[in-house]
């Protein structure tokens, strides 16, 4: 069946299965980004304004825990698909759980908000890693269309995010937060309907586990999942009823430490216990630096949903005549710039490769980190204007998102490629899972740092944005210097590929 699918060229030269998967992911990202853009604002707004009345520190910590958990739960989500139910079921069940989560978020109570977030985290952990893997499974190993397929798939992600920002942002301003959360549920519902109606396009693709467990092991695995869900429900109930205390800031810090420890342990286990040869250890060393750059990058980039989002709400001139620009719309700049700039970057890397002057992975990631940091230099000046009592023009935020997007295109796809090429072949899948932890670590760190931004003390903002700049630039420069050595190690992988 897969050979027939891989020979299909009905969708712009690609299998129709790509339409099914890219369409489903588009609507899932519509729901995810449309809701995510409103989270921090919803939490910090006063109760009488339709929010939850939290402090910026608490709201940012919760936001960091949420975004970090979404990435972290992709690891067990991938395992469940590979060992228990297959990718197709994981995607459908995950999407259904996400939809239920958004429906719960649409219920205007404080308790429903946190329950809804938990559902979205669990559902995204099932759907996100598996739908991306299924795209690659549409093609034979040597099919030259694979990279082009992921470009189309990535385009679907950004179109979905644009729809989410546009629809949910407008609804939040004109109808209220819970209408926007409800729209996210409808978006995911459309994605599920589309997925089921076109399921024949992916027939035979990840429809069963890659490596099925024995009946006893399967029973044990399901029992462990049930125990985890019961424990999660019990813990959530005890926190909500006040039986046990819950300080999001302390929890976020502890979770960041725990995930970092997991990352270091697993990376060290492969490095020291994986029976690697000298060349493999050198490439692992280069990969460690790329993981460090990725963590630092996302710690800055993820300010988009927290401190930058609040800056757009409180200190940006959003009125154009009688029209009020929804705060969420500013975040759509990232998706717009990715759609515009991606072809340019693809051409640039190919052109540099033909001239044999393409920078190493480490250099690209370091440059991406530094470019992202320059976006906070822009915010430093914008925050100074805000501190003087002015509402700043929208182009300050747009310029920041432009620089962040340029940094993202230097680092994000390059880092993923580096993981696939630098990892020891027998640990390639595990190393991709370890690398995903950098997104999780960066997101939680971003939430902790964003908690220092007090909307009531705007005079502190310039200094805080400058701190992010100094830190990111310093890490980037260190990586550039070290890359003079590690770049040679990366070349070894290029020769062996």
């Amino acid at each position: 069946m897969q050979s027939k699918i891989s020979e299909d060229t009905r969708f712009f030269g690609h299998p129709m299965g790509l339409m099914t998967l890219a369409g489903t992911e588009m609507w899932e990202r519509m729901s995810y980004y449309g809701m995510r853009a409103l989270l921090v604002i919803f939490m910090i707004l006063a109760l009488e304004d339709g929010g939850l009345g939290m402090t910026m520190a608490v709201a940012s910590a919760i936001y960091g825990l949420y975004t970090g958990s979404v990435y972290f739960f992709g690891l067990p989500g991938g395992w469940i698909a590979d060992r228990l139910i297959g990718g197709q079921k994981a995607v459908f069940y995950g999407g259904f759980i996400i939809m239920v989560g958004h429906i719960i978020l649409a219920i205007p109570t404080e308790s429903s908000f946190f329950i809804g977030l938990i559902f979205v985290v669990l559902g995204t952990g099932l759907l996100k890693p598996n739908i991306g893997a299924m795209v690659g499974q549409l093609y034979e190993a040597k099919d030259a269309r694979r990279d082009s397929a992921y470009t189309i798939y990535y385009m679907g992600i950004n179109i979905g995010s644009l729809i989410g920002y546009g629809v949910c942002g407008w609804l939040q301003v004109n109808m209220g937060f819970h209408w926007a959360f409800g729209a996210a549920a409808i978006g995911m519902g459309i994605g599920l309907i589309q997925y089921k109606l076109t399921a024949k396009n992916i027939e035979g693709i990840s429809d069963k586990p890659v490596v099925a467990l024995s009946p006893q092991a399967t029973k044990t695995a399901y029992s462990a999942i049930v125990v985890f869900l019961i424990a999660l429900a019990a813990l959530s109930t005890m926190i909500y009823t006040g039986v046990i205390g819950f300080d999001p800031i302390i929890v976020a810090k502890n979770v960041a430490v725990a995930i970092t420890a997991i990352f270091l342990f697993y990376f060290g286990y492969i490095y020291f216990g994986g029976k690697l040869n000298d060349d493999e250890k050198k490439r692992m060393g280069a990969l460690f630096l790329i993981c460090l750059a990725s963590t630092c990058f996302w710690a800055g980039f993820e300010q988009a949903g927290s401190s930058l989002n609040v800056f757009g709400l409180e200190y940006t001139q959003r009125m154009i005549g009688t029209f009020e620009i929804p705060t969420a719309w500013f975040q759509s700049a990232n998706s717009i710039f990715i759609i515009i700039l991606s072809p340019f970057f693809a051409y640039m890397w190919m052109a540099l490769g033909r001239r044999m002057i393409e920078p190493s992975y480490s250099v690209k990631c370091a440059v991406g980190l530094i470019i992202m940091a320059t976006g906070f230099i822009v915010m430093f000046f914008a925050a100074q204007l805000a501190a003087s009592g002015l509402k700043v023009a929208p182009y300050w935020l747009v310029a920041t998102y432009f620089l962040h997007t340029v940094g993202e295109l230097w680092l994000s796809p390059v880092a993923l490629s580096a993981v696939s090429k630098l990892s020891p072949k027998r640990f390639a899948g595990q190393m991709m899972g370890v690398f995903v932890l950098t997104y999780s670590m960066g997101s939680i760190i971003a939430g902790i740092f964003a908690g220092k931004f007090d909307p009531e003390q705007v005079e502190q903002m310039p200094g805080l944005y400058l701190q992010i700049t100094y830190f990111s630039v310093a890490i980037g420069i260190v990586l550039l210097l070290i890359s003079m050595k590690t770049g040679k190690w990366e070349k070894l992988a290029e020769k062996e590929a």
Side-chain angles (χ1 to χ4, degrees), residues 114-415:
F114 294 105
I115 295 171
L117 287 185
I118 292 172
F119 270 78
V120 175
V121 166
L122 296 177
T124 307
L126 265 181
L127 183 147
K128 185 64 176 168
N130 296 304
I131 194 169
M134 288 168 65
V135 171
Q137 294 170 24
L138 292 172
Y139 303 89
E140 301 291 350
K142 295 183 179 180
D143 195 323
R145 297 175 298 168
R146 185 188 298 266
D147 289 347
S148 172
Y150 275 104
T151 300
I152 295 173
Y153 176 74
Y154 199 58
M155 193 70 70
I157 290 174
N158 287 284
I159 292 172
S161 66
L162 282 175
I163 297 172
Y165 291 136
V167 172
C168 295
W170 185 88
L171 285 172
Q172 180 262 312
V173 170
N174 294 279
M175 303 292 290
F177 284 99
H178 297 288
W179 282 86
F181 295 149
I186 293 173
M188 189 67 256
I190 293 173
L192 288 174
I193 293 171
Q194 182 270 160
Y195 182 73
K196 275 299 183 182
L197 290 179
T198 61
K200 64 180 183 297
N201 294 332
I202 54 173
E203 186 178 351
I205 300 297
S206 195
D207 55 353
K208 55 187 177 182
V210 177
V211 181
L213 299 176
S214 66
Q216 183 59 43
T218 299
K219 183 178 179 180
T220 301
Y222 277 119
S223 297
I225 293 172
V226 170
V227 169
F228 168 77
L229 294 176
I230 291 174
L232 180 62
L235 180 62
S236 301
T237 301
M238 287 189 288
I239 291 173
Y240 179 69
T241 56
V243 174
I244 60 176
F246 178 72
D247 186 330
I249 301 172
I250 294 176
V251 172
K253 291 178 180 178
N254 290 335
V255 169
V257 171
I259 294 177
T260 301
I262 293 171
F263 168 81
L264 292 174
F265 173 81
Y266 216 113
F267 199 100
Y269 168 75
I270 294 175
Y271 186 88
F272 294 106
K275 298 180 180 179
L276 308 182
N277 59 40
D278 290 341
D279 288 343
E280 288 174 327
K281 286 187 175 182
K282 288 178 179 178
R283 294 198 295 271
M284 284 286 285
L287 188 54
F288 183 82
L289 296 179
I290 292 168
C291 289
L292 175 62
S294 178
T295 301
C296 295
F297 177 86
W298 294 111
F301 186 89
E302 282 294 334
Q303 297 298 318
S306 50
S307 67
L308 295 180
N309 206 10
V310 173
F311 191 91
L313 173 70
E314 300 285 352
Y315 303 111
T316 300
Q317 176 54 260
R318 294 186 292 115
M319 297 301 300
I320 301 178
T322 59
F323 177 72
E324 180 183 2
I325 302 173
T327 308
W329 285 16
F330 288 113
Q331 293 184 55
S332 67
N334 173 247
S335 299
I336 294 171
F337 287 137
I338 282 179
I339 293 172
I340 294 172
L341 295 175
S342 290
F344 168 78
F345 271 83
Y347 174 79
M348 181 177 72
W349 297 138
M350 288 190 295
L352 289 175
R354 286 195 297 266
R355 290 169 174 76
M356 306 298 289
I357 56 175
E358 186 176 4
S360 67
Y361 293 126
S362 300
V363 169
K364 290 177 182 177
C365 290
V367 171
L369 181 58
I370 292 172
I371 292 174
M372 183 276 296
T374 62
F376 288 106
I377 296 177
V378 174
M379 288 309 302
F380 166 73
F381 290 109
Q384 284 189 320
L385 291 174
S388 68
L390 299 174
K391 287 272 189 178
V392 304
Y395 58 72
W396 289 96
L397 273 176
V398 173
T400 296
Y401 286 129
F402 172 78
L403 291 168
H404 283 191
T405 303
V406 173
E408 180 183 3
L409 289 170
W410 269 86
L411 181 142
S412 185
V414 168

Side-chain angles (χ1 to χ4, degrees), residues 45-53:
L45 282 183
L47 295 174
E48 58 268 23
D49 294 327
L52 297 180

Side-chain angles (χ1 to χ4, degrees), residues 34-108:
M35 180 270 287
R36 195 196 72 161
L38 308 176
L39 282 183
V40 171
I41 293 175
F42 176 65
M43 287 187 279
I44 67 171
L45 282 183
L47 295 174
E48 58 268 23
D49 294 327
L52 297 180
M54 298 180 183
T55 65
M56 182 64 182
V58 170
S60 296
I62 292 172
Y63 174 83
L65 284 169
Y66 166 71
T67 54
S69 297
V70 163
Y71 291 117
F72 182 81
F73 275 91
L75 298 177
W79 186 90
I80 288 172
D82 288 344
R83 299 293 186 269
L84 295 177
I85 61 176
Q88 285 196 28
K89 289 182 179 178
V91 168
F92 181 77
Y93 294 155
F96 183 78
I97 295 169
I98 290 170
M99 183 180 69
V100 171
H102 288 303
I103 291 172
I104 295 172
L105 282 168
I107 301 172

